Amino acid sequence: MAPTAASSSTEHHIDMLRKYIEYHCWITKAKQKGRFFRISAGGNFSKLRSELKKRGFIEQIYLPSESVFYTMPNSILLEEAQRGNEYERALVAKIIGKRPPDFVWVTRSPCYKPLSNISLLNKIYITGWNFGVKNDVLKYIKKIRETDKKQSILKYPRSYNLSEPDTLNAFVADFRMTAAIGLVTFLYDQKENMNDWFTHDINNTETIKIFGLDCAIHIILMHIKYADGHLNKDDLARCCHFSEKQWNELLDVHMHVIKYKKKIYASNELRDDYVLRINMIAPDIPKYFKKRKHDGIHNIWMMKPCYSCQGSGIILTDNEKHILNWVNTHKGRYVIQKYIERKFDLRQYYLITMDNEYVRFWSHWLCTCKLASEEFSFDDYNEQKHITNTTVQRRYKRENTENLPYHHMWSIHTLIDHFEKMGRPDVYDKKIYPTIKEVLRMISKVAVQNIELKVGRFELLGCDWLITDDYSTYLLEINRCPSLFYYTPVSEYVIGKIFEDLIKVVVDFNDDRKASTGGFECIFKMDMPDSPKAQAARKAQQLKMELQQARKMIDEVLNEILNDVITSVKVKIPEEVDKAEVDKDAAALFDPYKHKLLSAF
């Protein structure tokens, strides 16, 4: 018998009812477990979504009133709903209603306060020094170097906050000293043909006067004498007090010799004298100026806006006048760092989480090696060659070459293969990454004092590191809003893995302390203020203080009793007996009983 229209309609209604009940049960189960999430950020967060959904989370979208789905009846939404489509998302949003999500992912810190009641939020609140701001990082570095016994592990390019007059003056002194050392080092490295950098041909227009070289040698020699104790600080300042004209001559000879390859004008006799002096002091430069080991010779500095990110506003220059003019004509805050000339850059990830027990700091082994879009050289300082920030390099396209992939990025596995070709296959695991973890541990110990400790808060940070040609590791900066876009095949893999492991830490490990945390490794933790352990410690400390007060009170009472006893006995002591000795003997007799009583506390 053929089905009638009425029976078909009934079956359809039953199917829709069954479908609605399935959705309702699915949503109710997620509600009971606190499994609603919302991503309030642009970009591709497909991996984050998929990892949350694997764990029973349901995405709770914001449904604006102007949306066509907002006024659409639930029956139509239910009819058209399929797993993951827009109708289902709108239907779920309507069923959930105004209930706040349990997990929220945002991109900006100002969202922190309005979302204070969310159970899991990917932003922490900085109450003091902000390690994501470039001038505050300088405070962290200074604090660590003053307090941490392992501070020698921490390497950070020499940096100055240009908005502060004292540090601006310190930068100028450093800039000039760097020029002096760079010039002498360059000439010494040419020692087999150093004579060729001097000429006595008065008609040669491609020359520079020698006076600046004299200043360079003198200032280096005076600092060596100071380090050996032959000069005090005042003597050093007096011996290195040059006029602005003399300083400019030093900077000119440095730039013209190293950058423009000009020769120094000098007679043969004068040349021989300078060559001798350079050969005498240059070998001692590595010994007396250890912190300048990776400076190079070009005296290049990188100026950065304090509150910028993604490579915005960076200026690379070797010109002192340009730097000072910029500071005087721009109102923004800037820091300036010595540019490490022979290096490559890594982006690595750092996670902070807070639960009922601890605030934890995590480091991830995985990283990307960021490359420039043009072959490295000092012919010019354009960003294509020197600024490896991913957002910057995306502006430039190039074909694949043997050394530079088109997407300007190496995976950690490619980097390790490169190390193997260099004869150092284990240098990342045995030297570079252990240093990264130790430096982040130092940062964490200071950072925890500047963070609002609130359960359910976490944040993923991007750390930039410089690796020099001898595999020394420098911290460059910490980014609170790291780019998490899939720019390249490498970043797609790395960001995907970071999201996968982040959810393992934030969700799985939070539910079960035996759960895997993937590539994230806890490098530092501290008790949360309201954790059971912290509460027990506070109670123990309070009890200890109360017992100390009780002992003090009992001690005072016992002393009063002893004094009363001695006073009552003294009246019967003959005049010829020393009463002070009697006091002393009585106290000695009484002490064992007093000690026995107090030991009970």
Side-chain angles (χ1 to χ4, degrees):
M1 181 177 177
T4 64
S7 64
S8 296
S9 175
T10 301
E11 289 178 5
H12 178 71
H13 284 303
I14 292 173
D15 288 342
M16 289 300 100
L17 179 60
R18 187 180 295 113
K19 188 176 182 181
Y20 179 81
I21 290 172
E22 288 175 356
Y23 273 117
H24 196 276
C25 291
W26 178 46
I27 292 169
T28 300
K29 183 178 179 181
K31 181 179 179 180
Q32 291 171 344
K33 292 187 175 183
R35 288 293 200 254
F36 294 147
F37 78 94
R38 177 178 293 164
I39 297 176
S40 300
N44 187 347
F45 290 92
S46 57
K47 184 63 174 178
L48 178 61
R49 285 187 170 92
S50 66
E51 290 300 321
L52 288 168
K53 289 177 180 179
K54 281 181 187 177
R55 292 157 174 83
F57 276 82
I58 297 176
E59 184 168 10
Q60 183 180 358
I61 67 167
Y62 171 67
L63 197 60
S65 57
E66 61 270 18
S67 168
V68 294
F69 298 104
Y70 185 82
T71 55
M72 194 175 289
N74 284 1
S75 58
I76 296 179
L77 294 175
L78 183 64
E79 182 86 30
E80 301 296 332
Q82 299 295 330
R83 189 50 58 95
N85 71 8
E86 292 296 321
Y87 292 94
E88 182 190 74
R89 287 158 65 88
L91 177 65
V92 168
K94 284 190 172 185
I95 296 175
I96 293 174
K98 295 183 178 180
R99 182 192 185 280
D102 305 287
F103 179 109
V104 173
W105 186 279
V106 295
T107 53
R108 296 293 175 187
S109 296
C111 299
Y112 183 88
K113 289 296 184 182
L115 297 172
S116 59
N117 294 324
I118 299 300
S119 298
L120 288 170
L121 176 66
N122 75 313
K123 286 296 169 188
I124 60 177
Y125 185 68
I126 305 293
T127 59
W129 298 343
N130 188 343
F131 46 77
V133 176
K134 296 172 180 64
N135 53 335
D136 277 359
V137 170
L138 302 184
K139 299 174 184 176
Y140 275 79
I141 301 303
K142 182 179 179 181
K143 179 76 171 178
I144 291 168
R145 286 176 173 164
E146 290 173 349
T147 59
D148 201 303
K149 293 180 180 179
K150 294 184 177 181
Q151 60 87 18
S152 60
I153 295 174
L154 172 62
K155 288 183 171 59
Y156 187 74
R158 295 196 310 284
S159 304
Y160 300 91
N161 183 352
L162 295 181
S163 61
E164 298 177 0
D166 289 345
T167 55
L168 180 60
N169 293 333
F171 158 70
V172 170
D174 193 341
F175 185 93
R176 294 170 175 180
M177 187 70 196
T178 305
I181 292 175
L183 176 61
V184 171
T185 300
F186 171 77
L187 291 172
Y188 181 69
D189 288 344
Q190 316 293 318
K191 53 189 174 186
E192 292 185 0
N193 59 346
M194 195 189 309
N195 289 353
D196 295 343
W197 286 90
F198 295 85
T199 180
H200 62 276
D201 183 0
I202 197 168
N203 297 317
N204 188 342
T205 58
E206 294 297 312
T207 60
I208 185 72
K209 293 181 180 179
I210 201 167
F211 306 119
L213 178 57
D214 192 62
C215 291
I217 294 173
H218 177 79
I219 191 175
I220 294 171
L221 184 59
M222 292 303 103
H223 276 79
I224 290 175
K225 287 185 176 182
Y226 171 71
D228 285 338
H230 301 309
L231 296 176
N232 59 37
K233 201 169 186 178
D234 292 336
D235 293 334
L236 178 66
R238 185 174 60 257
C239 292
C240 296
H241 181 70
F242 299 144
S243 67
E244 283 302 305
K245 179 183 178 183
Q246 290 172 306
W247 283 120
N248 288 332
E249 288 172 346
L250 165 58
L251 298 178
D252 283 347
V253 71
H254 171 273
M255 180 170 288
H256 283 86
V257 170
I258 293 177
K259 191 171 184 179
Y260 302 123
K261 309 305 179 188
K262 289 189 176 184
K263 295 185 178 183
I264 302 169
Y265 178 74
S267 65
N268 288 342
E269 183 180 355
L270 197 57
R271 176 202 65 197
D272 292 343
D273 177 60
Y274 277 93
V275 169
L276 178 63
R277 292 165 66 189
I278 290 170
N279 282 323
M280 286 179 62
I281 67 167
D284 287 333
I285 286 177
K287 173 184 175 182
Y288 288 95
F289 301 95
K290 293 179 181 178
K291 292 183 179 180
R292 298 173 181 272
K293 179 180 180 181
H294 300 109
D295 275 10
I297 58 173
H298 290 83
N299 203 17
I300 307 169
W301 294 74
M302 184 180 289
M303 192 158 47
K304 306 176 183 179
C306 290
Y307 301 103
S308 71
C309 59
Q310 298 185 345
S312 175
I314 293 177
I315 298 171
L316 208 63
T317 181
D318 58 4
N319 190 308
E320 180 190 82
K321 291 180 180 177
H322 179 203
I323 295 167
L324 298 180
N325 181 61
W326 186 274
V327 172
N328 291 329
T329 56
H330 290 74
K331 293 182 179 180
R333 291 176 175 268
Y334 286 82
V335 296
I336 194 161
Q337 282 184 335
K338 179 65 187 71
Y339 182 70
I340 306 299
E341 295 178 10
R342 303 193 66 82
K343 47 77 183 175
F344 59 88
D345 298 3
L346 298 182
R347 163 57 61 88
Q348 176 261 343
Y349 296 89
Y350 174 49
L351 177 65
I352 302 173
T353 63
M354 298 174 223
D355 55 44
N356 291 320
E357 296 178 310
Y358 299 104
V359 51
R360 292 179 170 89
F361 297 80
W362 310 76
S363 176
H364 205 289
W365 177 87
L366 205 58
C367 68
T368 56
C369 180
K370 302 184 294 179
L371 305 173
S373 55
E374 291 188 11
E375 292 280 357
F376 181 85
S377 77
F378 292 111
D379 295 340
D380 55 55
Y381 305 147
N382 65 49
E383 61 182 19
Q384 297 100 304
K385 294 179 181 178
H386 296 275
I387 309 299
T388 57
N389 183 280
T390 304
T391 305
V392 171
Q393 291 301 325
R394 284 183 68 224
R395 303 172 193 154
Y396 307 102
K397 301 295 182 183
R398 62 166 291 115
E399 298 297 324
N400 262 338
T401 70
E402 182 180 354
N403 298 320
L404 286 175
Y406 74 93
H407 48 66
H408 326 304
M409 196 175 285
W410 276 0
S411 70
I412 182 61
H413 308 292
T414 304
L415 180 63
I416 290 174
D417 288 344
H418 173 73
F419 289 150
E420 188 169 1
K421 292 176 183 177
M422 302 292 289
R424 298 293 300 274
D426 57 356
V427 70
Y428 183 78
D429 287 324
K430 291 190 176 180
K431 181 177 181 180
I432 295 172
Y433 188 58
T435 300
I436 287 174
K437 289 194 295 182
E438 185 58 35
V439 171
L440 288 179
R441 183 196 63 79
M442 295 177 187
I443 295 286
S444 302
K445 289 174 68 176
V446 181
V448 77
Q449 304 167 30
N450 298 284
I451 296 173
E452 179 183 79
L453 301 180
K454 184 171 182 177
V455 174
R457 298 298 170 262
F458 68 97
E459 188 162 336
L460 178 68
L461 305 111
C463 303
D464 290 332
W465 304 88
L466 302 180
I467 312 301
T468 64
D469 53 359
D470 64 352
Y471 309 107
S472 295
T473 304
Y474 281 75
L475 172 66
L476 183 60
E477 62 185 32
I478 299 174
N479 299 277
R480 292 194 64 194
C481 294
S483 176
L484 298 172
F485 290 96
Y486 299 160
Y487 294 127
T488 72
V490 173
S491 61
E492 182 175 1
Y493 168 74
V494 172
I495 300 303
K497 184 62 177 172
I498 294 298
F499 275 141
E500 179 184 332
D501 292 348
L502 180 145
I503 297 303
K504 288 179 180 178
V505 173
V506 174
V507 178
D508 300 348
F509 183 77
N510 193 44
D511 293 340
D512 178 6
R513 292 290 183 261
K514 295 181 180 180
S516 169
T517 57
F520 277 111
E521 177 182 354
C522 184
I523 55 173
F524 178 71
K525 66 180 181 180
M526 192 184 82
D527 292 333
M528 288 288 281
D530 295 324
S531 69
K533 186 176 179 181
Q535 290 177 3
R538 286 199 296 273
K539 286 181 180 179
Q541 183 64 24
Q542 184 179 357
L543 180 60
K544 183 179 179 180
M545 292 175 63
E546 290 174 355
L547 288 173
Q548 288 174 345
Q549 292 175 353
R551 287 173 61 92
K552 184 178 179 181
M553 291 175 61
I554 293 171
D555 190 44
E556 291 173 352
V557 170
L558 291 175
N559 284 334
E560 289 179 5
I561 295 171
L562 175 61
N563 290 334
D564 289 343
V565 171
I566 292 175
T567 302
S568 64
V569 172
K570 276 183 180 178
V571 295
K572 302 178 181 178
I573 298 174
E575 291 293 332
E576 62 273 14
V577 176
D578 187 346
K579 293 184 178 181
E581 288 294 325
V582 173
D583 289 349
K584 183 178 179 181
D585 293 341
L589 289 170
F590 191 69
D591 273 348
Y593 301 100
K594 176 181 169 183
H595 176 73
K596 188 174 182 180
L597 183 60
L598 288 175
S599 64
F601 293 88

